[in-house]
Amino acid sequence: MPEKTVPPGNGGRLRTVVAAVVALAIAGGAQFAMERADNSWLLLVAAMVMAAVSIWSLAYRESIAWLLDYLYGLPGRMPRRAKVTAAGGVLLVLAASSAALYESAREAVCPQALEMRILTSPEGLQATREVAHEYARFTARGHDGCPAVYPYVYAAGTLATTGALTRQWADSKEQKPLEELGPRPDVWLPDSMLDVREVQEIAVKATLPSPLRTVTSIATSPIVLAGTAVPQTEGDATLSAVVAGLLDRSGAALSAADPEASTAGLLAADVYLHDASGEAVEAAVARRRAQIVADSTVAGTDEVSVLCAYLREGKAPPAVLTSLRTWRRFVSGRALGGAGCSSPRTPPEDLPAPVVLDSAPALDHPLVQFTWTGPGQRAAVEAFQAWLRGEDADAVLREAGLGEPDPACAGLNGNACVPRDPAETLDRYEQAKRPGRVLLAVDSSGSMAQPAGSRRTTRFAVAAQGVAAAAAQMGTRDEFGLWTFPIPDGRKTFELVGPAEGSARHRETVVGALRAVKPDGGTPLYATIQAGMRELGKVRGEGQIRAFVVLTDGENTGAKPGLKQTAAEVERIARDGVRLYVIATGEAECGDDGPLYQLTRAGRGGCLTAGAAEVPDTMTQLFKTLWSGE
């Protein structure tokens, strides 16, 4: 029947060719789907479609030819206005299809961008990533959407960073920066000139050449008093005066980061350990204020984890000393970073404005270039610096919670943003902290014998290094005991070394005892936690911090006790002042609403996630917050 509709001559041959082209086009579409699909079922369907359509097209080429003849003659039967409309529609479809194809293929068209390695602080990681991402987008404008640089942003704590930078990222006996921290940076964005000053001082003491080429302040973020119970300010009051009035109230509460682990925490301590006139408070006053801060800070060593703990509870702090950068991110629901707050969260509503005073100390956010940077990387860093200090970055920095740079805070010395004597503030804080009675339980199950990441040592060996680092932070008034779990054959209790004051001999005993432990068996995590909390609950030392710290790489393997029963017991004992902390490594996680998070929340402590290489540093930072170090 279709053959009667075809025109004479070469039309039949043309129709055959067109039918074959149609079949090839359909087969090509199926082939494209096969190449792009990741799902095996989709691959199978695409292959079947390609085969079926190809066979159908060849078998029914006469019908397809009849349809083509009909469509060919359709324009002649259409009104002129309809023809114009149809032609315009076809052109729009072709233009949209071309644009979509170009966008999807643009990544393959763009040349390889230059990688710019940016080192920053853990507290500034999230904001720095956002700023660097916007800069990459800025460089793509006017260049067919192809960015000029690929920013790689990573973070490391001040203690690890300053030593590695001073040695120009070379290995030492204690540290392998390339393996433990990341690649040697092209640019450094610390929180404060205090960090830069530390590198300079270490280089001078070690008679090493300074790695610093240039230092430029790119933003500021003052320390503010924020929360639901912040007082109103009057006149020219200093932040120390406002905080002093707050702490003198009955039932006062004030959260802040640990000054030994956080620059923002150090600036906050400088505020609450000084009076309205800027003089250091007496020892008794310092001790009382430090205890208020310790009792009010639910969990965390830096300002991100302090505020994250409140977000995870769905509430705001009564009062907290933190940087304006991090507080703005808190109230706007932006990602803070750290365990549990790496994605946006819904913030509490109707929070009062923070107390922002010009006289308050501030993070001055320097940008540091290095002497080792080559010409190509140096040009990229300088272009990044010029953008940060130009008008194009103003809105981006404000969105990230950063204010304009202050000329008075641009120098290493005579910097108006930092304390006059940070070492004196740290000393006073050390003396003011309460002595600690800490019990540490180290997981010695069979999984701890596995390799620690890419390193040639085991997880348990890395944990032993962390115990040694933590023991080195003990003060003479502090007490420390060591457990391992499960209980091995030949031992009746979890206890490996009984609690004792932090003498040099006791520290050696703790470190030496772990060498005889061989990882084996399951993980009776819940039973260990209950036993440890009860053990600490038996002893009541006046003004003493009591904490049970557990290091584990896995989940509980015992049938009893269960999670609900353990959490209830932990919460009961925590009311008497015993806190629970967990350092999770390996397969263990501190995720939202997970078992470890639920237990540490009940124990008014915190859950810290640490990679294999991070265990010693994480333990050091945690124990510094628990012990006086005097």
Side-chain angles (χ1 to χ4, degrees), residues 340-600:
C341 292
S342 56
S343 58
R345 280 179 167 268
T346 302
E349 297 181 354
D350 301 326
L351 290 172
V355 177
V356 184
L357 299 175
D358 293 336
S359 59
L363 302 176
D364 46 38
H365 299 291
L367 183 148
V368 181
Q369 297 190 47
F370 300 109
T371 56
W372 59 66
T373 309
Q377 300 295 124
R378 183 179 301 170
V381 171
E382 289 178 348
F384 180 45
Q385 176 178 303
W387 177 78
L388 286 170
R389 292 181 63 84
E391 294 180 356
D392 291 321
D394 287 347
V396 176
L397 293 174
R398 284 196 302 270
E399 186 72 13
L402 300 171
E404 294 184 359
D406 186 344
C409 302
L412 281 173
N413 299 310
N415 191 313
C417 281
V418 301
R420 289 174 297 177
D421 191 352
E424 184 270 341
T425 298
L426 279 175
D427 288 343
R428 184 158 291 270
Y429 176 78
E430 292 287 345
Q431 296 169 7
K433 285 177 64 178
R434 291 181 291 181
R437 181 180 179 88
V438 179
L439 188 57
L440 171 65
V442 178
D443 187 344
S444 59
S445 61
S447 59
M448 290 292 284
Q450 295 182 14
S454 59
R455 305 175 71 177
R456 295 182 179 180
T457 187
T458 65
R459 294 176 180 175
F460 189 80
V462 174
Q465 296 173 13
V467 174
Q473 308 302 320
M474 273 194 296
T476 55
R477 295 183 300 155
D478 301 313
E479 297 178 356
F480 179 53
L482 179 64
W483 286 12
T484 59
F485 63 99
I487 300 173
D489 293 338
R491 219 170 71 203
K492 296 181 179 180
T493 66
F494 292 110
E495 184 175 283
L496 185 65
V497 178
E501 292 184 349
S503 65
R505 183 174 181 178
H506 182 60
R507 291 195 293 268
E508 293 174 1
T509 302
V510 167
V511 174
L514 279 175
R515 298 193 185 108
V517 177
K518 303 297 182 184
D520 188 32
T523 310
L525 182 62
Y526 298 164
T528 305
I529 288 176
Q530 284 202 31
M533 293 292 286
R534 289 168 180 165
E535 184 68 23
L536 285 167
K538 296 176 183 177
V539 181
R540 294 178 179 271
E542 184 178 353
Q544 189 180 59
I545 295 173
R546 290 173 293 162
F548 186 45
V549 180
V550 181
L551 187 149
T552 184
D553 72 340
E555 298 179 352
N556 178 67
T557 57
K560 293 183 179 180
L563 174 61
K564 186 176 182 180
Q565 177 187 348
T566 303
E569 182 71 356
V570 167
E571 185 175 14
R572 181 186 67 80
I573 300 173
R575 295 192 193 104
D576 291 333
V578 181
R579 295 195 180 193
L580 172 65
Y581 295 86
V582 174
I583 299 174
T585 188
E587 289 73 39
E589 296 181 350
C590 294
D592 290 4
D593 299 326
L596 297 182
Y597 171 65
Q598 292 182 46
L599 290 171
T600 53

Side-chain angles (χ1 to χ4, degrees), residues 255-342:
S255 299
D258 173 28
E260 296 174 308
S262 162
T263 303
L266 174 58
L267 300 186
D270 190 72
V271 170
Y272 64 74
L273 294 180
H274 286 80
D275 60 21
S277 62
E279 297 297 324
V281 298
E282 297 180 354
V285 177
R287 187 174 298 110
R288 185 179 65 81
R289 292 184 177 183
Q291 290 182 15
I292 291 175
V293 172
D295 291 338
S296 305
T297 306
V298 176
T301 56
D302 58 34
E303 59 173 349
V304 165
S305 53
V306 167
L307 288 177
C308 180
Y310 284 102
L311 270 183
R312 293 172 76 164
E313 295 289 338
K315 60 184 181 181
V320 61
L321 281 172
T322 187
S323 69
L324 185 58
R325 168 196 65 186
T326 305
W327 182 252
R328 282 176 175 170
R329 300 184 70 84
F330 177 87
V331 298
S332 63
R334 298 174 67 87
L336 292 177
C341 292
S342 56

Side-chain angles (χ1 to χ4, degrees), residues 2-3 6-25 53-69:
E3 292 296 335
V6 291
N10 295 327
R13 187 178 303 170
L14 176 62
R15 288 192 298 273
T16 302
V17 172
V18 171
V21 170
V22 171
L24 290 174
V53 171
S54 299
I55 295 172
W56 176 87
S57 300
L58 294 175
Y60 293 91
R61 61 183 183 276
E62 292 84 1
S63 299
I64 296 175
W66 176 82
L67 179 61
L68 289 174
D69 283 341

Side-chain angles (χ1 to χ4, degrees), residues 30 33-49:
M34 291 175 65
E35 292 176 354
R36 293 297 182 94
D38 294 327
N39 187 285
S40 58
W41 288 105
L42 185 58
L43 287 170
L44 178 61
V45 170
M48 294 174 65
V49 168

